[in-house]
Amino acid sequence: MTASGPRRPSWEAYSTAMARALKDCDLDRYRRLFSARSAAAHAEADERRRRALAGG
């Protein structure tokens, strides 16, 4: 847990779920997971940037 809320699934967890969605030919689920993975990656990058600026 972080101070900002519950921990998000990792990039690898999203990728695994996306592979499963493709295998199941569930393109809607794949698109939703792709968007969620992208948003999570951006949030992680923003958090790293914020920490670097605060600590540096």
Side-chain angles (χ1 to χ4, degrees):
M1 279 250 178
T2 63
S4 62
R7 187 174 177 154
R8 296 176 188 206
S10 69
W11 190 88
E12 292 84 7
Y14 279 119
S15 296
T16 300
M18 288 168 63
R20 197 173 308 124
L22 279 180
K23 184 179 177 188
D24 297 342
C25 297
D26 189 345
L27 295 181
D28 288 334
R29 191 171 96 213
Y30 177 85
R31 288 185 194 112
R32 286 192 307 271
L33 289 165
F34 182 88
S35 294
R37 182 182 72 171
S38 182
H42 285 287
E44 288 174 15
D46 289 344
E47 180 65 20
R48 283 192 305 271
R49 192 175 303 112
R50 186 186 62 77
R51 285 186 199 154
L53 292 173

